[in-house]
Amino acid sequence: MRTTRRSSVAPPPVGGWCELAGGTFLMGCDSGPYPQDGEGPVREVALEPFAMAATAVTNAEFAAFTDATGHVTDAERFGWSFVFAGFLPDDFPPTRAAAATPWWRQVFGADWRHPEGPSTGPAGRWDHPVVHVSHADALAYCAWADARLPTEAEWEYAARGGLTGKPYPWGDERDPGGAYRMNIWRGDFPHRNTAADGYAGTCPANAFPPNGHGLFNMTGNVWEWCADRFLPGGSRVLRGGSHLCHDSYCFRYRTSARMGNTPDSSSGNTGFRCAR
């Protein structure tokens, strides 16, 4: 892992730090739609008190980090990252697509500063979560910010907001009373997104009401790296789903849902939040 030099103080998270009491809680789900993901069995887990950032790390926060340290992300070093095809112009040149998910396209010059490629930038999105960051990039930020990535158990405890056995941070219904509570794909994936929840891409890190612990966007918006390994091997855990999740193929915008990816991977819907 690359090291960074500390040369300034990290900005506080948007919304500050949420102090969580810990204790025991029921983690996991016995009826998840993807048995291979390993959501179950439901088990009792004990946690020490900890703090979680109210929001995912924003573009503005990550810019302060790179300005202070000179950190170069994995996507910048590799020269490319994965971008959702629907965000690319119709005349975009053909590039490699992900095998099982062809809506992801390899875009040269895509990185956190250029979310959809070289001609794009973070203007108007400084308060949105940073994306195109790898697990290693997230660890580097945390080291600079005197923080760490949450464990998977801490992340789920925080996401549940004090509720037990509920699929969403606010309860049983995805859209309680018809109100939108998170940023996900609305429409027919991958061809039509109505953006009925207000956002076709990412949304501000503190959009939508917080959960019972005061945490914003624990489901939807962007996937968030955790400290744990997904399975024995090199993959790391991602939690929370993203603005591209739809129940037709990725019903993972739930408190118990999980996914894994290699630690050097990056994409336009992957970010992180800090714990301490």
Side-chain angles (χ1 to χ4, degrees):
M1 185 183 74
R2 298 179 303 283
T3 59
T4 59
R5 62 186 186 279
R6 187 183 181 93
S7 57
S8 71
V9 176
V14 177
W17 290 95
C18 297
E19 301 291 335
L20 303 179
T24 58
F25 81 107
L26 293 179
M27 180 175 178
C29 174
D30 288 328
S31 57
Y34 311 111
Q36 70 275 15
D37 285 358
E39 292 183 40
V42 174
R43 63 274 191 198
E44 188 174 89
V45 175
L47 293 174
E48 297 294 325
F50 67 100
M52 185 81 98
T55 56
V57 172
T58 65
N59 282 310
E61 292 173 293
F62 201 78
F65 159 62
T66 60
D67 288 347
T69 66
H71 179 82
V72 177
T73 64
D74 279 333
E76 290 171 298
R77 289 194 308 110
F78 297 151
W80 66 274
S81 187
F82 280 115
V83 175
F84 178 64
F87 295 153
L88 300 175
D90 292 339
D91 60 352
F92 191 80
T95 56
R96 180 167 65 93
T101 52
W103 45 84
W104 283 112
R105 296 276 298 281
Q106 181 184 33
V107 174
F108 292 94
D111 54 52
W112 79 271
R113 289 187 176 90
H114 309 95
E116 289 86 42
S119 64
T120 66
R125 290 183 275 188
W126 290 109
D127 59 347
H128 291 215
V130 67
V131 292
H132 295 294
V133 287
S134 68
H135 192 267
D137 297 327
L139 290 178
Y141 179 95
C142 288
W144 172 72
D146 288 333
R148 59 181 175 82
L149 288 178
T151 67
E152 185 174 10
E154 287 173 336
W155 191 97
E156 184 169 326
Y157 172 91
R160 289 185 177 278
L163 303 178
T164 300
K166 304 299 183 183
Y168 304 111
W170 49 86
D172 288 313
E173 296 183 46
R174 187 187 71 178
D175 305 319
Y180 298 123
R181 298 294 299 270
M182 62 179 160
N183 177 20
I184 57 175
W185 186 280
R186 311 276 179 175
D188 302 315
F189 188 87
H191 304 294
R192 184 180 66 92
N193 186 356
T194 68
D197 53 30
Y199 305 96
T202 58
C203 68
N206 62 352
F208 302 100
N211 72 0
H213 288 323
L215 299 159
F216 294 86
N217 292 319
M218 293 300 290
T219 52
N221 211 24
V222 297
W223 284 101
E224 298 181 6
W225 289 108
C226 292
D228 303 55
R229 297 187 186 278
F230 182 66
L231 293 170
S235 293
R236 296 286 178 167
V237 169
L238 290 154
R239 283 298 202 118
S242 82
H243 63 280
L244 294 173
C245 281
H246 185 270
D247 58 12
S248 66
Y249 89 102
C250 184
F251 185 30
R252 293 183 175 91
Y253 44 82
R254 296 171 291 107
T255 54
S256 61
R258 60 199 301 265
M259 183 179 77
N261 210 341
T262 54
D264 60 353
S265 295
S266 64
S267 66
N269 67 340
T270 301
F272 68 103
R273 79 176 66 210
C274 296
R276 65 181 187 187

